[in-house]
Amino acid sequence: MLEIGSYIADRYEILEKIGAGGMSDVYKAKDQVLGRFVAVKILKPEFAEDVNFVSKFHTEAQSAAGLSHPNIVNIYDVGSEEHVHFIVMEYVEGITLKTYIEKKCQLNYKEAISIAIQVARGIEAAHNNQIVHRDIKPQNIMISNEGKVKVTDFGIARAATSNTIHSDVMGSVHYTSPEQARNGFVDGKSDIYSLGIVMYEMVTGRVPYDGDTTVAIAIQHLQEEMIPPSEFAPDLPISLEKIILKCTQKSQDRRYPTMGELLVDLKQALMNPNTDFVVMDTGINQGKTTVIGEDEVRGIKEQTSGRSYPTKVNTPESPQVTKVDDDDDDDDDEGFLNPKMEKVVTILGLITAVIIIVIIIYLIGSMAGIFKGKNKNKVEELPQQEVVEEEGRIEVIDLRGLTFDEAKAQLREAGLNIYQAGVEASEEYEEGQIISQDVEPGEMVDEGTTVRVVVSAGKLEEEVTVPKVEGLKDTAAIGMLQDAGLDYVREYESSDTVAEGTVIRQTPAADSKVAPKTKVTIVVSQGKEAVTVPDLKNKTQEDAQKELEALGLAVGTVNSDYDDTIPEGSVIDQSEIAGKTVYSGTRIDLVISLGPKEVLYYFKANIKLPDNDTVVAANIHLTDADGNMLDSWDNISADSFPFSIEVDNIPSSEGTLSIEWVMESEEGEITTSTQEKSYSFSPMNE
């Protein structure tokens, strides 16, 4: 540990220790040369003599030093002295995203998307420079006191070659991708997966996979289904949930191909959170469950613990001999398939087999109508309906009379989604059966479309009057509905006229008679629509205005200034920085280029008569370097000399003064003589 007050490289004064990682300690320091605070990362002494660790440590600086982006912590310096290896980087005054989540428990969707957009921009910049971070987690994301989000610690990143990167180091296991867990091939999609886990934690306050050991967590990434985040955050918009689910697909091919495409959906979700626009890959190979062999488990254990584990090999003397490296042969709490564990796994396997058989019997029985509740008013059974696909589009089946779970199973198999929009009393359908759907049967829709349905609450035996909640704050509206014995569904919508958090409209309408526990949908205002400010620099004023108006923004004050690099008529600067989220209708001030600033010159001269008694007059002309006339004085009599001339606002820096002398002899003969001289004019501001 460095002493407070000591110096690194005779330049960086160590002020305090501010953090520690697996390989290094981080100190706040003062750069005495530039007079600014910096963060200095010091490789821990136990690794300083390890050539491999030192190499990785310096690779971090080399790979990240070339990155310059507002959402990446900048690297300033790297070096070594007296076996101390250090990296000097930007000091961010603030807290980590991990600490922020711990303080707030759950972030609202707007805040989560805003943070995710900034993180994605930083990672995208790295990917564009062939650098994969490979350790994206909330601990490596800083939030400054001004709200700026920056990605830090490219500790295990390295520049990609033309080949795919092979992962030889695991990131933190809660956020690691399946391919990292199995020591597979890693590219930018691994960072997309990890960012998806971070978004999950932001909106739910918890990680999707957890366990007592790193091995157990890693295996969950490979095998376990993720509980949808909406289970823990009921008000989570569908767009953000689907973005998270798409990012965290176990198959790399089913995630977003690039950070750029993820950013497009994140920005769309910020503006239209309740629109179901995210396109999910609904291929047959879902990439969900993977059978893991002993070799893969051993590899996972070695990555997460740094130890070597037994490898079974066959020999003539013994079909299964355990070959052990030079580690102690003690029992390992994280051991996989030791004798006790094998017995447990065997029992679990039998239980799983029984469960699968029961499920199969239930599904067959359901399709045959054995377990299905029947509609007393319907004579016909409701068989499994054939799903028609045509050129990538899917025909929506008739869901009426099916239970929600039955409809969900059939739609999911067809590549569609379902959403329960409400519950209503019905004389025709039994409780739990679907009454209506927002997409008519037979209509062709795109894959991933969500069908909204209303479920029967059974016959109306008791009526409840729906209270009027429009115009109330959402919390007050919910309380009023619950007091009336009703449930609620809360949706959000942008509004320029209704204050944020206020109910815009409700369904069913006020004073409607409904069954108890009916779900009343309230649409709550998000306030003015959020818009991301575009980058207008170098665009013409006309194009900038069109782009702003298309986004619901407006041009504010327009000023002008000279610029040597931006063409005349194009935007030099804008009042709101590109990428900032503002409300619809915000006015953006512009500064328009006048082109390069014109320099004007002046010329002064005091002209004397030549030593010639016959001169009677003169004609004086001043021209620029191209011969264009700047000014002239004709028929100046000899009595007017010495003659002073002064010309201002000359656009050229050089010119020629030409004097034609008119002479008259004693005999009255008129002759002329011309005198020319070039001059450099003086700038008017000097």
Side-chain angles (χ1 to χ4, degrees), residues 245-309:
L245 295 177
K246 185 170 182 176
C247 287
T248 54
Q249 292 293 303
K250 298 189 186 302
S251 171
Q252 291 165 281
D253 294 336
R254 300 185 68 228
R255 300 174 203 155
Y256 285 95
T258 64
M259 277 291 175
E261 294 188 39
L262 169 57
L263 275 165
V264 170
D265 276 5
L266 284 171
K267 294 174 183 177
Q268 176 74 356
L270 194 61
M271 293 185 286
N272 302 294
N274 294 295
T275 303
D276 186 9
F277 59 84
V278 179
V279 178
M280 302 291 287
D281 185 344
T282 55
I284 295 175
N285 180 14
Q286 300 297 309
K288 294 178 180 178
T289 303
T290 305
V291 178
I292 304 180
E294 291 185 31
D295 290 342
E296 285 188 284
V297 173
R298 187 182 305 106
I300 293 170
K301 290 167 64 178
E302 289 176 353
Q303 289 183 78
T304 56
S305 67
R307 294 179 56 187
S308 297
Y309 285 84

Side-chain angles (χ1 to χ4, degrees), residues 75-121:
I75 301 295
Y76 296 145
D77 193 7
V78 60
S80 302
E81 65 174 18
E82 297 180 355
H83 302 291
V84 175
H85 304 277
F86 64 89
I87 296 173
V88 181
M89 62 187 70
E90 176 185 1
Y91 175 70
V92 180
E93 188 77 46
I95 61 174
T96 67
L97 177 57
K98 186 69 174 179
T99 302
Y100 191 64
I101 294 172
E102 290 171 348
K103 287 184 176 181
K104 297 197 70 173
C105 294
Q106 289 184 337
L107 277 59
N108 65 59
Y109 82 90
K110 285 185 179 180
E111 194 170 23
I113 293 176
S114 177
I115 291 172
I117 286 174
Q118 294 186 66
V119 173
R121 285 189 182 130

Side-chain angles (χ1 to χ4, degrees), residues 28-40:
K28 180 180 179 181
K30 179 71 173 291
D31 182 347
Q32 298 297 342
V33 174
L34 298 178
R36 64 183 176 187
F37 292 113
V38 295
V40 179

